[in-house]
Amino acid sequence: MLELRGVTAGYLRDAPVVRGASLRVADGESVGLQGPSGCGKSTLARVAALLHRPEEGEVWLAGERVTAFRHRAPRERRTLVGVVFQQPRPASDPRLTLHGVIAEPLRAARRPRREVGERVAELSALVGLGGDLLSRRPHEVSDGQLQRACLARALAPRPRLLVCDEMTAMLDASTTASLVGVVERYRAESGAALLAVGHDRVLLRRWCDRVEEFPAVAETVVSAR
């Protein structure tokens, strides 16, 4: 489903955050990427999610080489990947209600209004958002509630690969268990693959089929901090 070959990526010219990284996630497989803070694993996750163009190397998704990233990538390629970030607030438009947050990728794809409403209702129930929460805006809910909406948003287009970048780092144990359960239920029903990025070795080993140590997947890592 995903293959990174010799990826070098960063944010400043001649100052890569990660160099020569290679990683493979098979169809339906769950792979953990574990490493300390600041080692570059989140940058690699952004490359895998087609949100950051690498300086060198190749990215293959569903058997095809990726040549365009971010908004330049074709819509059908972008919707193959769903991504959940560590911090839900910077990843959410503060003007939207939680209903709007979940519906965002469906509306961007110009799905019919009735379909959007049905999918949002289905996903909100799946992630545990009930009552009047869907009518609230991000500043009116907790981090855990907002992260539930962000996970629902990632699942909305029915992706074949989920990239969870420290998805549970800011959550309590109960919410962590709930959201991991949602991801696994979706994967069981859809056959989607998972790349879970984090520093919690115990969680990743319980969650994933295998865990890759970072920076073992890269030849050289240069911290950006």
Short mmCIF file of all heavy atoms in Angstrom, two decimals, residues 114-174:
data_model
loop_
_atom_site.label_atom_id
_atom_site.label_comp_id
_atom_site.label_asym_id
_atom_site.label_seq_id
_atom_site.Cartn_x
_atom_site.Cartn_y
_atom_site.Cartn_z
N ARG A 114 -27.32 14.96 1.00
CA ARG A 114 -27.91 13.85 1.77
C ARG A 114 -26.84 12.83 2.12
O ARG A 114 -26.81 12.33 3.26
CB ARG A 114 -29.01 13.19 0.95
CG ARG A 114 -29.68 12.02 1.66
CD ARG A 114 -30.82 11.45 0.85
NE ARG A 114 -31.44 10.32 1.51
CZ ARG A 114 -32.47 9.65 1.03
NH1 ARG A 114 -33.00 10.01 -0.13
NH2 ARG A 114 -32.97 8.62 1.69
N GLU A 115 -25.95 12.53 1.19
CA GLU A 115 -24.88 11.58 1.46
C GLU A 115 -23.96 12.10 2.56
O GLU A 115 -23.52 11.34 3.43
CB GLU A 115 -24.07 11.32 0.18
CG GLU A 115 -22.91 10.36 0.37
CD GLU A 115 -22.10 10.17 -0.89
OE1 GLU A 115 -22.66 10.33 -1.99
OE2 GLU A 115 -20.89 9.87 -0.78
N VAL A 116 -23.66 13.41 2.51
CA VAL A 116 -22.80 14.01 3.54
C VAL A 116 -23.45 13.86 4.91
O VAL A 116 -22.81 13.46 5.89
CB VAL A 116 -22.54 15.49 3.23
CG1 VAL A 116 -21.83 16.16 4.41
CG2 VAL A 116 -21.69 15.63 1.97
N GLY A 117 -24.74 14.19 5.00
CA GLY A 117 -25.43 14.09 6.28
C GLY A 117 -25.45 12.68 6.83
O GLY A 117 -25.24 12.46 8.04
N GLU A 118 -25.69 11.71 5.97
CA GLU A 118 -25.74 10.32 6.41
C GLU A 118 -24.37 9.84 6.86
O GLU A 118 -24.26 9.12 7.87
CB GLU A 118 -26.25 9.44 5.27
CG GLU A 118 -27.72 9.67 4.94
CD GLU A 118 -28.18 8.88 3.73
OE1 GLU A 118 -27.30 8.32 3.02
OE2 GLU A 118 -29.40 8.81 3.48
N ARG A 119 -23.33 10.23 6.13
CA ARG A 119 -21.98 9.79 6.49
C ARG A 119 -21.53 10.43 7.80
O ARG A 119 -20.91 9.77 8.64
CB ARG A 119 -21.01 10.14 5.36
CG ARG A 119 -19.57 9.66 5.57
CD ARG A 119 -19.48 8.16 5.57
NE ARG A 119 -18.09 7.71 5.58
CZ ARG A 119 -17.70 6.57 6.11
NH1 ARG A 119 -18.57 5.75 6.65
NH2 ARG A 119 -16.41 6.22 6.08
N VAL A 120 -21.85 11.71 8.00
CA VAL A 120 -21.48 12.37 9.24
C VAL A 120 -22.19 11.73 10.43
O VAL A 120 -21.60 11.51 11.50
CB VAL A 120 -21.78 13.88 9.17
CG1 VAL A 120 -21.63 14.53 10.55
CG2 VAL A 120 -20.87 14.56 8.17
N ALA A 121 -23.47 11.41 10.26
CA ALA A 121 -24.21 10.76 11.34
C ALA A 121 -23.61 9.40 11.67
O ALA A 121 -23.47 9.03 12.85
CB ALA A 121 -25.68 10.61 10.93
N GLU A 122 -23.25 8.65 10.64
CA GLU A 122 -22.64 7.33 10.84
C GLU A 122 -21.31 7.44 11.59
O GLU A 122 -21.05 6.69 12.54
CB GLU A 122 -22.43 6.67 9.48
CG GLU A 122 -21.68 5.34 9.52
CD GLU A 122 -21.31 4.84 8.14
OE1 GLU A 122 -21.69 5.48 7.13
OE2 GLU A 122 -20.61 3.81 8.06
N LEU A 123 -20.47 8.37 11.17
CA LEU A 123 -19.14 8.50 11.75
C LEU A 123 -19.18 9.10 13.16
O LEU A 123 -18.40 8.70 14.02
CB LEU A 123 -18.25 9.35 10.85
CG LEU A 123 -17.83 8.69 9.54
CD1 LEU A 123 -17.21 9.71 8.60
CD2 LEU A 123 -16.85 7.55 9.81
N SER A 124 -20.06 10.05 13.39
CA SER A 124 -20.16 10.64 14.72
C SER A 124 -20.58 9.60 15.74
O SER A 124 -20.09 9.59 16.89
CB SER A 124 -21.13 11.83 14.72
OG SER A 124 -22.43 11.42 14.33
N ALA A 125 -21.49 8.70 15.34
CA ALA A 125 -21.87 7.60 16.24
C ALA A 125 -20.69 6.66 16.47
O ALA A 125 -20.47 6.18 17.58
CB ALA A 125 -23.06 6.85 15.66
N LEU A 126 -19.92 6.40 15.41
CA LEU A 126 -18.79 5.49 15.51
C LEU A 126 -17.73 6.00 16.49
O LEU A 126 -17.19 5.24 17.29
CB LEU A 126 -18.16 5.30 14.13
CG LEU A 126 -16.92 4.39 14.04
CD1 LEU A 126 -17.29 2.96 14.41
CD2 LEU A 126 -16.31 4.45 12.65
N VAL A 127 -17.45 7.31 16.45
CA VAL A 127 -16.39 7.86 17.31
C VAL A 127 -16.91 8.34 18.66
O VAL A 127 -16.14 8.81 19.50
CB VAL A 127 -15.64 9.01 16.60
CG1 VAL A 127 -14.99 8.53 15.32
CG2 VAL A 127 -16.57 10.20 16.33
N GLY A 128 -18.22 8.27 18.88
CA GLY A 128 -18.76 8.62 20.19
C GLY A 128 -19.07 10.09 20.38
O GLY A 128 -18.92 10.61 21.49
N LEU A 129 -19.52 10.76 19.34
CA LEU A 129 -19.93 12.16 19.44
C LEU A 129 -21.45 12.23 19.33
O LEU A 129 -22.00 12.10 18.25
CB LEU A 129 -19.28 13.00 18.34
CG LEU A 129 -17.78 13.21 18.43
CD1 LEU A 129 -17.26 13.97 17.21
CD2 LEU A 129 -17.41 13.96 19.71
N GLY A 130 -22.12 12.43 20.45
CA GLY A 130 -23.57 12.47 20.45
C GLY A 130 -24.09 13.78 21.01
O GLY A 130 -23.35 14.73 21.25
N GLY A 131 -25.39 13.81 21.21
CA GLY A 131 -26.02 15.01 21.77
C GLY A 131 -25.85 16.22 20.88
O GLY A 131 -25.96 16.14 19.66
N ASP A 132 -25.54 17.36 21.52
CA ASP A 132 -25.38 18.61 20.77
C ASP A 132 -23.94 18.90 20.39
O ASP A 132 -23.63 19.99 19.92
CB ASP A 132 -25.93 19.79 21.60
CG ASP A 132 -25.10 20.06 22.85
OD1 ASP A 132 -24.33 19.15 23.26
OD2 ASP A 132 -25.22 21.16 23.42
N LEU A 133 -23.05 17.91 20.56
CA LEU A 133 -21.63 18.17 20.30
C LEU A 133 -21.36 18.55 18.84
O LEU A 133 -20.48 19.36 18.57
CB LEU A 133 -20.79 16.93 20.67
CG LEU A 133 -20.60 16.67 22.16
CD1 LEU A 133 -19.91 15.34 22.39
CD2 LEU A 133 -19.82 17.80 22.81
N LEU A 134 -22.11 17.99 17.92
CA LEU A 134 -21.86 18.27 16.51
C LEU A 134 -22.15 19.72 16.15
O LEU A 134 -21.65 20.22 15.14
CB LEU A 134 -22.68 17.35 15.62
CG LEU A 134 -22.29 15.87 15.63
CD1 LEU A 134 -23.16 15.09 14.66
CD2 LEU A 134 -20.83 15.68 15.29
N SER A 135 -22.94 20.40 16.96
CA SER A 135 -23.25 21.81 16.68
C SER A 135 -22.27 22.77 17.33
O SER A 135 -22.35 23.98 17.13
CB SER A 135 -24.67 22.13 17.15
OG SER A 135 -24.78 22.01 18.56
N ARG A 136 -21.32 22.24 18.10
CA ARG A 136 -20.34 23.08 18.78
C ARG A 136 -19.10 23.29 17.91
O ARG A 136 -18.79 22.48 17.05
CB ARG A 136 -19.93 22.45 20.11
CG ARG A 136 -21.07 22.28 21.09
CD ARG A 136 -20.56 21.73 22.41
NE ARG A 136 -21.64 21.40 23.32
CZ ARG A 136 -21.47 20.93 24.55
NH1 ARG A 136 -20.22 20.73 25.01
NH2 ARG A 136 -22.51 20.63 25.30
N ARG A 137 -18.39 24.38 18.20
CA ARG A 137 -17.15 24.69 17.51
C ARG A 137 -15.95 24.21 18.34
O ARG A 137 -16.11 23.93 19.53
CB ARG A 137 -17.07 26.18 17.19
CG ARG A 137 -18.05 26.59 16.10
CD ARG A 137 -18.01 28.06 15.78
NE ARG A 137 -18.76 28.34 14.56
CZ ARG A 137 -20.07 28.40 14.47
NH1 ARG A 137 -20.82 28.21 15.56
NH2 ARG A 137 -20.67 28.65 13.32
N PRO A 138 -14.78 24.13 17.72
CA PRO A 138 -13.63 23.57 18.43
C PRO A 138 -13.36 24.19 19.81
O PRO A 138 -12.98 23.45 20.73
CB PRO A 138 -12.47 23.83 17.45
CG PRO A 138 -13.13 23.71 16.11
CD PRO A 138 -14.48 24.35 16.28
N HIS A 139 -13.54 25.49 19.97
CA HIS A 139 -13.22 26.10 21.26
C HIS A 139 -14.26 25.74 22.34
O HIS A 139 -14.04 26.02 23.52
CB HIS A 139 -13.14 27.63 21.12
CG HIS A 139 -14.45 28.31 20.92
ND1 HIS A 139 -15.03 28.42 19.68
CD2 HIS A 139 -15.30 28.91 21.79
CE1 HIS A 139 -16.18 29.07 19.77
NE2 HIS A 139 -16.38 29.36 21.05
N GLU A 140 -15.34 25.09 21.93
CA GLU A 140 -16.39 24.73 22.88
C GLU A 140 -16.34 23.27 23.31
O GLU A 140 -17.21 22.81 24.05
CB GLU A 140 -17.77 25.01 22.25
CG GLU A 140 -17.99 26.48 21.91
CD GLU A 140 -19.29 26.72 21.17
OE1 GLU A 140 -19.56 26.00 20.17
OE2 GLU A 140 -20.03 27.63 21.59
N VAL A 141 -15.33 22.53 22.86
CA VAL A 141 -15.21 21.12 23.21
C VAL A 141 -13.81 20.83 23.73
O VAL A 141 -12.89 21.64 23.59
CB VAL A 141 -15.52 20.21 22.00
CG1 VAL A 141 -16.94 20.44 21.51
CG2 VAL A 141 -14.53 20.44 20.87
N SER A 142 -13.64 19.65 24.31
CA SER A 142 -12.34 19.25 24.84
C SER A 142 -11.43 18.75 23.72
O SER A 142 -11.87 18.50 22.60
CB SER A 142 -12.53 18.13 25.87
OG SER A 142 -12.99 16.95 25.23
N ASP A 143 -10.15 18.60 24.05
CA ASP A 143 -9.21 18.05 23.06
C ASP A 143 -9.63 16.65 22.61
O ASP A 143 -9.54 16.31 21.43
CB ASP A 143 -7.80 17.99 23.65
CG ASP A 143 -7.14 19.35 23.76
OD1 ASP A 143 -7.62 20.29 23.09
OD2 ASP A 143 -6.16 19.48 24.52
N GLY A 144 -10.09 15.84 23.56
CA GLY A 144 -10.50 14.49 23.23
C GLY A 144 -11.70 14.46 22.29
O GLY A 144 -11.75 13.67 21.35
N GLN A 145 -12.68 15.33 22.55
CA GLN A 145 -13.85 15.40 21.67
C GLN A 145 -13.48 15.90 20.29
O GLN A 145 -13.97 15.38 19.28
CB GLN A 145 -14.91 16.30 22.31
CG GLN A 145 -15.54 15.70 23.56
CD GLN A 145 -16.32 16.71 24.38
OE1 GLN A 145 -16.06 17.91 24.31
NE2 GLN A 145 -17.26 16.22 25.17
N LEU A 146 -12.59 16.88 20.23
CA LEU A 146 -12.17 17.39 18.93
C LEU A 146 -11.35 16.35 18.17
O LEU A 146 -11.49 16.22 16.94
CB LEU A 146 -11.36 18.68 19.12
CG LEU A 146 -10.94 19.41 17.83
CD1 LEU A 146 -12.16 19.72 16.96
CD2 LEU A 146 -10.19 20.69 18.18
N GLN A 147 -10.52 15.60 18.89
CA GLN A 147 -9.75 14.55 18.21
C GLN A 147 -10.67 13.45 17.67
O GLN A 147 -10.39 12.87 16.61
CB GLN A 147 -8.70 13.96 19.16
CG GLN A 147 -7.68 13.05 18.49
CD GLN A 147 -6.72 13.78 17.57
OE1 GLN A 147 -7.12 14.51 16.67
NE2 GLN A 147 -5.43 13.59 17.81
N ARG A 148 -11.77 13.18 18.35
CA ARG A 148 -12.75 12.23 17.83
C ARG A 148 -13.29 12.72 16.49
O ARG A 148 -13.45 11.93 15.54
CB ARG A 148 -13.89 12.03 18.83
CG ARG A 148 -13.49 11.27 20.09
CD ARG A 148 -14.63 11.23 21.10
NE ARG A 148 -14.22 10.63 22.35
CZ ARG A 148 -14.30 9.34 22.65
NH1 ARG A 148 -14.80 8.50 21.74
NH2 ARG A 148 -13.91 8.87 23.82
N ALA A 149 -13.59 14.02 16.41
CA ALA A 149 -14.09 14.59 15.15
C ALA A 149 -13.02 14.52 14.07
O ALA A 149 -13.33 14.26 12.90
CB ALA A 149 -14.54 16.03 15.37
N CYS A 150 -11.76 14.76 14.44
CA CYS A 150 -10.68 14.70 13.45
C CYS A 150 -10.48 13.28 12.92
O CYS A 150 -10.20 13.09 11.73
CB CYS A 150 -9.39 15.22 14.07
SG CYS A 150 -9.38 17.01 14.35
N LEU A 151 -10.64 12.28 13.78
CA LEU A 151 -10.55 10.90 13.32
C LEU A 151 -11.71 10.59 12.38
O LEU A 151 -11.53 9.97 11.33
CB LEU A 151 -10.55 9.94 14.51
CG LEU A 151 -10.60 8.44 14.16
CD1 LEU A 151 -9.47 8.04 13.25
CD2 LEU A 151 -10.60 7.60 15.43
N ALA A 152 -12.92 11.05 12.74
CA ALA A 152 -14.07 10.84 11.86
C ALA A 152 -13.85 11.50 10.51
O ALA A 152 -14.20 10.94 9.47
CB ALA A 152 -15.34 11.38 12.53
N ARG A 153 -13.25 12.69 10.51
CA ARG A 153 -12.94 13.39 9.26
C ARG A 153 -11.98 12.56 8.40
O ARG A 153 -12.14 12.46 7.18
CB ARG A 153 -12.33 14.76 9.55
CG ARG A 153 -11.90 15.53 8.32
CD ARG A 153 -11.25 16.86 8.71
NE ARG A 153 -10.07 16.67 9.52
CZ ARG A 153 -9.43 17.67 10.14
NH1 ARG A 153 -9.88 18.91 10.04
NH2 ARG A 153 -8.35 17.42 10.85
N ALA A 154 -10.98 11.97 9.04
CA ALA A 154 -10.00 11.16 8.30
C ALA A 154 -10.66 9.94 7.67
O ALA A 154 -10.25 9.48 6.60
CB ALA A 154 -8.86 10.75 9.22
N LEU A 155 -11.68 9.40 8.34
CA LEU A 155 -12.34 8.20 7.84
C LEU A 155 -13.42 8.50 6.82
O LEU A 155 -13.86 7.59 6.10
CB LEU A 155 -12.97 7.43 9.01
CG LEU A 155 -12.03 6.92 10.10
CD1 LEU A 155 -12.83 6.20 11.18
CD2 LEU A 155 -10.97 6.00 9.53
N ALA A 156 -13.84 9.76 6.74
CA ALA A 156 -14.99 10.12 5.91
C ALA A 156 -14.88 9.67 4.45
O ALA A 156 -15.85 9.14 3.90
CB ALA A 156 -15.25 11.62 6.00
N PRO A 157 -13.74 9.86 3.79
CA PRO A 157 -13.65 9.44 2.37
C PRO A 157 -13.35 7.96 2.17
O PRO A 157 -13.08 7.54 1.05
CB PRO A 157 -12.51 10.31 1.82
CG PRO A 157 -11.95 11.07 2.95
CD PRO A 157 -12.55 10.58 4.21
N ARG A 158 -13.38 7.20 3.26
CA ARG A 158 -13.08 5.76 3.23
C ARG A 158 -11.68 5.49 2.67
O ARG A 158 -11.50 4.82 1.64
CB ARG A 158 -14.13 5.01 2.41
CG ARG A 158 -15.52 5.07 3.04
CD ARG A 158 -16.53 4.30 2.21
NE ARG A 158 -17.80 4.17 2.93
CZ ARG A 158 -18.78 5.08 2.89
NH1 ARG A 158 -18.63 6.18 2.16
NH2 ARG A 158 -19.89 4.89 3.57
N PRO A 159 -10.64 5.97 3.36
CA PRO A 159 -9.26 5.79 2.86
C PRO A 159 -8.80 4.35 2.94
O PRO A 159 -9.29 3.56 3.76
CB PRO A 159 -8.44 6.68 3.81
CG PRO A 159 -9.23 6.68 5.08
CD PRO A 159 -10.67 6.68 4.65
N ARG A 160 -7.83 4.03 2.12
CA ARG A 160 -7.22 2.69 2.13
C ARG A 160 -5.96 2.65 3.00
O ARG A 160 -5.43 1.59 3.29
CB ARG A 160 -6.88 2.26 0.71
CG ARG A 160 -8.11 1.98 -0.14
CD ARG A 160 -7.72 1.62 -1.55
NE ARG A 160 -6.78 0.50 -1.60
CZ ARG A 160 -6.10 0.15 -2.69
NH1 ARG A 160 -6.25 0.85 -3.81
NH2 ARG A 160 -5.28 -0.88 -2.66
N LEU A 161 -5.47 3.83 3.39
CA LEU A 161 -4.32 3.94 4.29
C LEU A 161 -4.61 5.02 5.31
O LEU A 161 -4.99 6.13 4.96
CB LEU A 161 -3.05 4.29 3.51
CG LEU A 161 -1.82 4.66 4.35
CD1 LEU A 161 -1.30 3.45 5.12
CD2 LEU A 161 -0.71 5.25 3.47
N LEU A 162 -4.41 4.70 6.59
CA LEU A 162 -4.53 5.68 7.67
C LEU A 162 -3.14 6.00 8.20
O LEU A 162 -2.36 5.09 8.49
CB LEU A 162 -5.39 5.14 8.81
CG LEU A 162 -6.90 5.27 8.68
CD1 LEU A 162 -7.59 4.52 9.81
CD2 LEU A 162 -7.31 6.74 8.70
N VAL A 163 -2.84 7.28 8.33
CA VAL A 163 -1.60 7.73 8.95
C VAL A 163 -1.98 8.44 10.24
O VAL A 163 -2.61 9.50 10.22
CB VAL A 163 -0.81 8.67 8.03
CG1 VAL A 163 0.45 9.17 8.73
CG2 VAL A 163 -0.45 7.96 6.73
N CYS A 164 -1.63 7.86 11.37
CA CYS A 164 -1.94 8.42 12.68
C CYS A 164 -0.64 8.91 13.31
O CYS A 164 0.17 8.10 13.77
CB CYS A 164 -2.62 7.39 13.57
SG CYS A 164 -4.23 6.85 12.94
N ASP A 165 -0.43 10.22 13.29
CA ASP A 165 0.81 10.82 13.78
C ASP A 165 0.63 11.28 15.22
O ASP A 165 0.09 12.35 15.47
CB ASP A 165 1.20 12.00 12.88
CG ASP A 165 2.52 12.62 13.29
OD1 ASP A 165 3.27 11.98 14.07
OD2 ASP A 165 2.80 13.75 12.86
N GLU A 166 1.05 10.44 16.16
CA GLU A 166 0.91 10.75 17.59
C GLU A 166 -0.56 11.06 17.93
O GLU A 166 -0.86 11.95 18.72
CB GLU A 166 1.80 11.95 17.97
CG GLU A 166 3.28 11.75 17.73
CD GLU A 166 3.99 11.13 18.92
OE1 GLU A 166 3.29 10.61 19.82
OE2 GLU A 166 5.22 11.14 18.93
N MET A 167 -1.47 10.31 17.34
CA MET A 167 -2.90 10.60 17.47
C MET A 167 -3.38 10.64 18.92
O MET A 167 -4.28 11.41 19.27
CB MET A 167 -3.70 9.54 16.70
CG MET A 167 -5.20 9.69 16.77
SD MET A 167 -6.11 8.37 15.94
CE MET A 167 -5.90 7.01 17.11
N THR A 168 -2.78 9.83 19.78
CA THR A 168 -3.27 9.71 21.16
C THR A 168 -2.37 10.39 22.18
O THR A 168 -2.60 10.26 23.38
CB THR A 168 -3.40 8.22 21.53
OG1 THR A 168 -2.09 7.60 21.50
CG2 THR A 168 -4.30 7.48 20.55
N ALA A 169 -1.36 11.13 21.73
CA ALA A 169 -0.37 11.68 22.66
C ALA A 169 -0.97 12.64 23.67
O ALA A 169 -0.47 12.78 24.79
CB ALA A 169 0.75 12.37 21.88
N MET A 170 -2.05 13.35 23.30
CA MET A 170 -2.65 14.36 24.19
C MET A 170 -3.90 13.84 24.89
O MET A 170 -4.62 14.63 25.52
CB MET A 170 -2.99 15.62 23.38
CG MET A 170 -1.80 16.28 22.72
SD MET A 170 -2.26 17.74 21.79
CE MET A 170 -2.87 18.82 23.11
N LEU A 171 -4.17 12.54 24.80
CA LEU A 171 -5.42 11.99 25.30
C LEU A 171 -5.21 11.14 26.54
O LEU A 171 -4.14 10.60 26.77
CB LEU A 171 -6.07 11.14 24.20
CG LEU A 171 -6.25 11.82 22.84
CD1 LEU A 171 -6.88 10.85 21.86
CD2 LEU A 171 -7.08 13.09 22.96
N ASP A 172 -6.28 10.99 27.33
CA ASP A 172 -6.21 10.11 28.48
C ASP A 172 -6.35 8.66 28.04
O ASP A 172 -6.65 8.37 26.87
CB ASP A 172 -7.28 10.48 29.52
CG ASP A 172 -8.70 10.41 28.96
OD1 ASP A 172 -8.98 9.54 28.12
OD2 ASP A 172 -9.54 11.24 29.37
N ALA A 173 -6.15 7.74 28.97
CA ALA A 173 -6.12 6.32 28.63
C ALA A 173 -7.45 5.85 28.07
O ALA A 173 -7.50 5.04 27.12
CB ALA A 173 -5.74 5.50 29.85
N SER A 174 -8.55 6.33 28.62
CA SER A 174 -9.87 5.90 28.17
C SER A 174 -10.14 6.33 26.72
O SER A 174 -10.61 5.54 25.89
CB SER A 174 -10.96 6.46 29.09
OG SER A 174 -12.24 6.13 28.62
#
